[in-house]
Amino acid sequence: MKHMSLLKKFVKDDRGVSAIEYGLLATLIAVAIIVGATALGNALDAKFSSVATTVTNGK
């Protein structure tokens, strides 16, 4: 009986849930920043390559 009472108490305890949710949210935000920075870096690389080609060719 005592074990069942402890198990019920453990299942109802939700103090750690908030920490896990915040951790998942922080991870999601970090992934979004990494994806955005990668996309921006690729776009800038393409633009600077285009500018370099134009300057080199003198057009």
Side-chain angles (χ1 to χ4, degrees):
M1 230 26 195
K2 186 177 180 182
H3 296 294
M4 192 60 131
S5 171
L6 287 173
L7 182 62
K8 286 180 182 178
K9 192 180 218 183
F10 177 74
V11 169
K12 289 182 181 180
D13 186 14
D14 63 352
R15 288 180 291 182
V17 174
S18 294
I20 292 171
E21 289 171 349
Y22 284 128
L24 290 173
L25 188 59
T27 302
L28 180 63
I29 290 170
V31 168
I33 289 171
I34 291 169
V35 168
T38 301
L40 179 62
N42 290 338
L44 285 174
D45 183 46
K47 183 55 90 174
F48 280 115
S49 292
S50 172
V51 170
T53 302
T54 302
V55 169
T56 302
N57 292 338
K59 294 182 180 178

